[in-house]
């Protein structure tokens, strides 16, 4: 039964319950046998009392061992579930900022393209490349650079509207998926909103750091039959333009 339960992760905790129930039955069985021995062979037979008591103590010890084993199994199960959760999280989440990563961004992009296949709406993508991040990172060290990236992520997330997905593609490159735009020109205003949010300095300890603006690339899908794979090519082209310093 235990081996069968192991095949179903959702029933893992039943193993612990099963162990405890079995241990309880063993202890109860030992107690019953003790009474049967006394009634059958007489209360005056000290040797039977000793054997029965020894059996009872052995059952109690076994029950204690079973309880400890159940606790150990539960701890191991919790550790395994936590490891699986973290692994699944790493597949879709940037570990430094907590934003969506590139894989998650592409998944959201594909869903947005599917959702707007009917009607005149388009999907937009804004790519942001921080201008002065590398000099700041070189001058103040990686810990300050990492904190700055987290603050940039928080600020972008704070100005994102409902339905917009902010992602970190790696390094100092960020992306924002804009679903259900009325037309290709409608992507310009969100892009300006996101860039303006980065103009104020970022306070890291006693430092007031300015990233010096950002290079921005904007891609939109005006073709209602555009496939996600084709749009990915547009995303990469927009990213290349952003790194080259072209502004929206």
């Amino acid at each position: 039964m235990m081996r069968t339960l192991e095949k179903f992760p959702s029933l893992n905790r039943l193993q612990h319950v099963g162990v405890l129930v079995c241990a309880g039955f063993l202890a109860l069985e030992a107690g019953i046998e003790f009474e049967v021995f006394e009634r059958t062979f007489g209360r005056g037979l000290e040797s039977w009392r000793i054997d029965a008591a020894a059996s009872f103590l052995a059952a109690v010890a076994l029950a204690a061992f079973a309880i400890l084993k159940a606790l150990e199994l539960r701890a191991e199960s919790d550790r395994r579930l936590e490891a699986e959760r973290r692994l699944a999280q790493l597949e879709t989440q940037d570990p430094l900022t907590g934003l969506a990563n590139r894989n998650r961004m592409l998944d959201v992009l594909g869903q947005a393209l599917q959702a707007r296949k009917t009607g005149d709406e388009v999907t937009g993508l804004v790519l942001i490349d921080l201008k002065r991040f590398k000099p700041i990172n070189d001058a103040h060290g990686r810990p300050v650079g990492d904190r700055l990236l987290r603050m940039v992520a928080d600020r972008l997330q704070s100005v994102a509207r409902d339905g917009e997905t902010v992602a970190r593609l790696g390094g100092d490159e960020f992306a924002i998926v804009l679903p259900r735009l009325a037309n290709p020109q409608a992507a310009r205003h969100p892009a300006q909103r996101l860039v303006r949010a980065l103009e104020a300095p970022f306070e890291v300890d006693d430092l007031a750091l300015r990233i010096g603006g950002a290079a921005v690339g904007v891609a939109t899908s005006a073709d209602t039959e555009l496939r996600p794979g084709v749009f990915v090519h547009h995303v990469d082209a927009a990213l290349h333009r952003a790194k080259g310093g072209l502004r929206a």
Side-chain angles (χ1 to χ4, degrees):
M1 182 184 73
M2 300 295 284
R3 291 180 179 177
T4 302
L5 288 175
E6 286 176 355
K7 297 178 182 178
F8 302 93
S10 61
L11 301 179
N12 247 350
R13 295 185 183 278
L14 291 180
Q15 297 180 29
H16 312 146
V17 176
V19 171
L20 292 174
V21 170
C22 290
F25 274 119
L26 284 173
L28 181 61
E29 178 71 16
I32 293 172
E33 289 180 359
F34 179 75
E35 295 294 333
V36 170
F37 285 149
E38 284 197 329
R39 286 197 301 270
T40 304
F41 297 100
R43 297 179 181 275
L45 299 178
E46 191 66 27
S47 61
W48 285 113
R49 286 203 186 101
I50 293 173
D51 289 343
S55 298
F56 181 76
L57 291 175
V60 171
L62 180 61
F65 174 78
I67 291 172
L68 292 175
K69 192 63 178 176
L71 294 175
E72 181 183 332
L73 286 172
R74 178 172 182 176
E76 178 61 28
S77 175
D78 290 343
R79 285 193 295 269
R80 184 168 62 252
L81 290 174
E82 177 63 18
E84 292 173 354
R85 185 191 67 80
R86 288 181 62 84
L87 182 61
Q89 190 178 57
L90 287 174
E91 292 178 353
T92 59
Q93 189 178 74
D94 175 55
L96 177 64
T97 63
L99 296 177
N101 61 12
R102 183 180 178 87
N103 290 337
R104 177 59 181 160
M105 183 272 292
L106 294 177
D107 182 52
V108 171
L109 188 61
Q111 293 177 20
L113 290 170
Q114 286 291 116
R116 61 104 194 124
K117 277 190 174 179
T118 57
D120 299 326
E121 296 174 338
V122 300
T123 298
L125 180 68
V126 178
L127 295 108
I128 295 177
D129 183 67
L130 308 181
K131 278 192 170 181
R132 296 193 65 252
F133 173 75
K134 188 177 186 306
I136 292 173
N137 194 56
D138 292 343
H140 300 287
R142 183 172 178 177
V144 170
D146 286 349
R147 290 181 62 184
L148 178 59
L149 289 174
R150 285 193 288 267
M151 296 174 88
V152 168
D154 291 342
R155 197 173 290 185
L156 290 174
Q157 190 81 333
S158 69
V159 299
R161 302 284 175 83
D162 289 343
E164 298 177 354
T165 299
V166 183
R168 178 175 175 243
L169 305 185
D172 60 347
E173 298 163 356
F174 294 84
I176 301 89
V177 178
L178 308 172
R180 306 189 66 175
L181 297 174
N183 52 64
Q185 292 70 35
R188 189 176 185 86
H189 177 69
Q192 293 173 341
R193 163 169 44 90
L194 293 161
V195 173
R196 281 197 300 268
L198 303 178
E199 292 176 352
F202 295 84
E203 296 184 3
V204 181
D205 295 331
D206 57 345
L207 302 172
L209 303 175
R210 291 183 179 273
I211 60 174
V216 179
V218 180
T220 60
S221 58
D223 184 357
T224 56
E225 298 302 320
L226 189 63
R227 293 169 297 163
V230 178
F231 195 87
V232 169
H233 174 73
H234 290 195
V235 172
D236 290 337
L239 180 59
H240 178 74
R241 291 196 299 271
K243 288 183 176 180
L246 297 179
R247 303 183 69 84

